[in-house]
């Protein structure tokens, strides 16, 4: 059947038409409910809108890689109207009304986006793929935004979610991972988007923002869980589970924190009461306590590492071993009620990621139960249920946690507070391993 037959209104041959191999809506043929709706519509009122096709020759001129996919009997390729064509196939109709528009081929993706984004036909990733193709065709984000009635930020965020791993994409499509949270996690994780799911779990379980969850996840990646035997000579001081204010157990749950929360970048205020050296400890004693474990987990020198990435991981493990021991041995009580209040304020304003690290060290040290809910610490510290020593120890652990969060953020390589954190750990026997540590301390 010729092109002139289409123009005379006789319709085109259904059997010689093929769907576009680059159709963004690649699930159109599998949506049973949509196909049934289209069949019912065609039977009841007929075909209202013509499909748009390109001739095989014109299509292959711009997409030659699909010659084998189309097959020798195909004469036309659909540019718009695949569901209408599928309806005709399902009903066994031999012809379909359409228009041949070879001149649409250079802007094929643009045409398709215009046809589908106004309806609920494209999912997040199909829409994003359409924008990506337009970028590859030479359109700027501003041009794409204007042509599709969207903001430039909207287009940028859609392009960003294409980096998600497949399992995370499935969660988004299932509605279990909000699209905004997915984008923010991708942004916060940088090149390590494979960690989106563990970061999302942390974000939900600990009510963290995406940035906090990503930072804590990246920190934990380079810091395997450290096992150590809790001290047996003294009974650990821990909050009483039966007390009226109990940080140990909590049935409370909450949604992840707002992405724009103010304490995403907040840092706990410094106080002499919690930054002082641990009483009764020394660099020698702390280093000795780490000898057996550090020897297994941390190489002796930077020269023994194959890359800066490995040295970073080894340095993180070594630093946090020191942090854990410092928290275990902490015994300096605040010297005044005012100092205690400063510690409480520090805990209440600390980033959630720092509190999570502090919690891990406190559990390892035997100071709290592993069933402790970190979300309750701020409230517990402000009540009479916590002793001044417990408050100071928690504030000290949180301060170390905040330091480790800064160390995990490579954008803060020249941070003076990070340098102070390293120097504090060095007073307990830590020896810098990573290149960035050495450079910072020399600066």
């Amino acid at each position: 059947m010729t092109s002139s037959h289409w123009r005379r209104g006789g319709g085109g041959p259904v059997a010689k038409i093929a769907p576009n191999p680059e159709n963004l809506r690649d699930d159109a043929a599998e949506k049973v409910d949509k196909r049934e709706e289209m069949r019912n519509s065609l039977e009841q009122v007929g075909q209202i809108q013509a499909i748009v096709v390109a001739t095989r020759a014109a299509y292959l001129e711009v997409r030659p890689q699909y010659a084998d996919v189309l097959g020798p009997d195909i004469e036309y390729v659909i540019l718009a109207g695949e569901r209408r064509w599928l309806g005709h196939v399902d009903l066994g109709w031999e012809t379909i009304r359409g228009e041949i528009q070879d001149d649409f081929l250079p802007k094929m993706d643009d045409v398709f986006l215009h046809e589908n984004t106004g309806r609920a036909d494209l999912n997040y990733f199909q829409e994003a793929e359409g924008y990506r193709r337009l970028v590859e065709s030479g359109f700027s984000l501003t041009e794409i935004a204007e042509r599709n009635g969207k903001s430039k930020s909207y287009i940028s965020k859609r392009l960003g979610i294409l980096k998600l791993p497949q399992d995370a994409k499935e969660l988004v499509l299932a509605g279990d991972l909000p699209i905004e949270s997915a984008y923010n996690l991708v942004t916060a994780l940088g090149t390590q988007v494979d960690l989106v799911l563990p970061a999302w779990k942390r974000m939900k379980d600990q009510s963290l923002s995406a940035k906090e969850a990503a930072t804590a996840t990246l920190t934990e990646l380079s810091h395997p869980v450290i096992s150590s035997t809790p001290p047996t000579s003294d009974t650990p001081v821990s909050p009483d589970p039966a007390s009226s204010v109990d940080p140990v157990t909590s049935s409370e749950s909450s949604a992840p924190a707002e992405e724009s929360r103010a304490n995403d970048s907040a840092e706990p205020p410094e106080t002499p009461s919690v930054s002082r050296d641990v009483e009764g400890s020394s660099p020698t004693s702390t280093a000795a306590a780490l000898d057996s474990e550090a020897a297994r987990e941390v190489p002796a020198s930077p020269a023994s590492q194959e890359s800066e990435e490995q040295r970073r991981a080894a340095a993180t493990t070594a630093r946090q071993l020191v942090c854990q021991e410092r928290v275990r041995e902490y015994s300096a009580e605040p010297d005044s009620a005012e100092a205690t209040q400063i510690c409480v304020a520090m805990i209440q304003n600390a980033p959630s990621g720092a509190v999570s690290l502090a919690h891990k060290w406190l559990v390892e040290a035997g100071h709290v139960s592993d069933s402790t809910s970190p979300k309750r610490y701020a409230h517990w510290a402000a009540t009479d249920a916590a002793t001044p020593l417990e408050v100071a120890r928690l504030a000290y652990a949180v301060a170390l946690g905040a330091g480790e969060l800064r160390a995990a953020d490579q954008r803060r390589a020249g941070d003076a507070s990070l340098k102070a954190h390293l120097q504090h750990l060095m007073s307990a026997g830590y020896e810098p391993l990573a290149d960035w540590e050495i450079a910072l301390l020399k600066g």
Side-chain angles (χ1 to χ4, degrees):
M1 194 168 292
T2 64
S3 299
S4 60
H5 189 80
W6 288 72
R7 288 192 293 270
R8 290 196 305 271
V14 170
K16 293 188 177 296
I17 300 171
N20 188 344
E22 290 192 348
N23 189 350
L24 294 171
R25 198 176 59 218
D26 52 11
D27 54 357
E30 299 166 8
K31 290 189 175 180
V32 178
D33 57 337
K34 294 295 184 182
R35 290 185 69 159
E36 185 175 357
E37 286 179 14
M38 179 56 69
R39 287 198 303 272
N40 292 338
S41 174
L42 288 171
E43 286 183 312
Q44 293 172 17
V45 299
Q47 182 185 352
I48 298 174
Q49 185 177 2
I51 67 170
V52 177
V53 300
T55 59
R56 173 193 178 90
Y59 184 86
L60 291 180
E61 186 176 341
V62 296
R63 298 289 195 276
Q65 66 269 32
Y66 294 119
D68 293 336
V69 175
L70 294 179
D73 296 331
I74 298 301
E75 296 180 4
Y76 307 99
V77 180
I78 299 171
L79 300 185
E82 181 175 334
R83 281 189 182 152
R84 277 161 273 160
W85 172 78
L86 285 170
H88 281 65
V89 172
D90 291 344
L91 291 170
W93 293 356
E94 294 183 358
T95 61
I96 184 171
R97 184 162 56 87
E99 299 176 2
I100 298 175
Q101 297 282 0
D102 287 348
D103 56 331
F104 275 12
L105 284 169
K107 49 186 178 181
M108 179 168 53
D109 293 320
D110 201 15
V111 170
F112 191 85
L113 276 171
H114 273 294
E115 183 189 37
N116 289 278
T117 51
R119 310 194 304 248
D121 286 350
L122 295 182
N123 66 42
Y124 296 123
F125 303 102
Q126 293 166 346
E127 180 186 0
E129 173 62 18
Y131 297 141
R132 185 194 66 77
R133 292 180 187 176
L134 292 178
V135 170
E136 285 190 346
S137 297
F139 291 97
S140 68
L141 295 188
T142 300
E143 289 172 331
I144 296 172
E146 291 175 350
R147 294 167 75 93
N148 290 277
K150 308 291 185 182
S151 69
K152 184 177 177 181
S153 173
Y154 178 94
I155 303 298
S156 179
K157 288 182 177 181
R158 284 294 184 269
L159 291 171
I161 64 171
L162 288 175
K163 300 176 185 176
L164 286 168
Q166 186 58 38
D167 49 4
K169 288 180 178 178
E170 291 172 1
L171 277 188
V172 170
L173 293 177
D176 296 326
L177 172 55
I179 188 68
E180 191 72 16
S181 296
Y183 171 76
N184 289 334
L185 286 171
V186 165
T187 302
L189 287 167
T191 59
Q192 296 188 270
V193 292
D194 56 311
L195 298 176
V196 164
L197 289 191
W200 168 237
K201 184 178 186 304
R202 187 186 299 270
M203 191 174 168
K204 288 192 302 179
D205 293 348
Q206 300 178 21
S207 297
L208 305 181
S209 70
K211 180 180 178 183
E212 290 170 336
T215 301
T217 302
L218 290 170
T219 300
E220 188 172 64
L221 175 68
S222 55
H223 170 50
V225 176
I226 303 169
S227 299
S228 57
T229 305
T232 57
S233 58
D234 298 310
T235 302
V237 178
S238 61
D240 181 5
S243 63
S244 58
V245 181
D246 175 20
V248 177
T249 59
S250 171
S251 60
E252 297 175 1
S253 63
S254 60
E258 293 294 330
E259 300 305 336
S260 59
R261 64 164 62 179
N263 71 356
D264 227 2
S265 58
E267 297 173 11
E270 297 182 0
T271 169
S273 299
V274 296
S275 63
R276 68 181 73 175
D277 288 343
V278 178
E279 292 182 5
S281 67
S282 66
T284 303
S285 64
T286 303
L290 299 174
D291 276 350
S292 60
E293 191 162 4
R296 293 193 303 272
E297 296 191 38
V298 183
S301 68
S304 65
Q305 297 300 303
E306 297 179 1
S307 69
E308 168 62 4
E309 182 178 352
Q310 290 175 309
R311 289 194 292 275
R312 278 182 175 274
T316 300
T317 299
R319 284 196 316 272
Q320 295 197 15
L321 277 168
V322 174
C323 289
Q324 180 178 304
E325 289 303 310
R326 296 290 274 181
V327 170
R328 183 193 304 282
E329 298 174 2
Y330 189 88
S331 60
E333 291 195 30
D335 53 14
S336 66
E338 290 77 10
T340 301
Q341 287 304 309
I342 292 175
C343 291
V344 171
M346 178 179 180
I347 295 165
Q348 292 175 334
N349 290 283
S352 298
V355 176
S356 296
L357 285 173
H359 170 67
K360 178 162 52 177
W361 298 327
L362 288 165
V363 170
E364 287 290 334
H367 291 308
V368 298
S369 164
D370 59 3
S371 61
T372 300
S373 172
K375 292 183 288 186
R376 298 292 301 278
Y377 278 140
H379 179 64
W380 169 74
T383 69
D384 293 337
T387 67
L389 174 58
E390 290 171 336
V391 172
R393 181 189 293 123
L394 175 56
Y396 178 68
V398 165
L400 293 178
E404 284 304 294
L405 290 186
R406 288 193 288 270
D409 187 350
Q410 298 183 22
R411 294 169 298 180
R412 306 187 64 164
D415 196 318
S417 59
L418 178 54
K419 182 175 182 179
H421 175 68
L422 292 176
Q423 291 171 332
H424 179 66
L425 297 184
M426 289 172 64
S427 72
Y430 173 66
E431 296 183 4
L433 296 173
D435 292 349
W436 72 265
E437 295 176 317
I438 296 169
L440 177 60
L441 291 166
K442 286 181 178 179

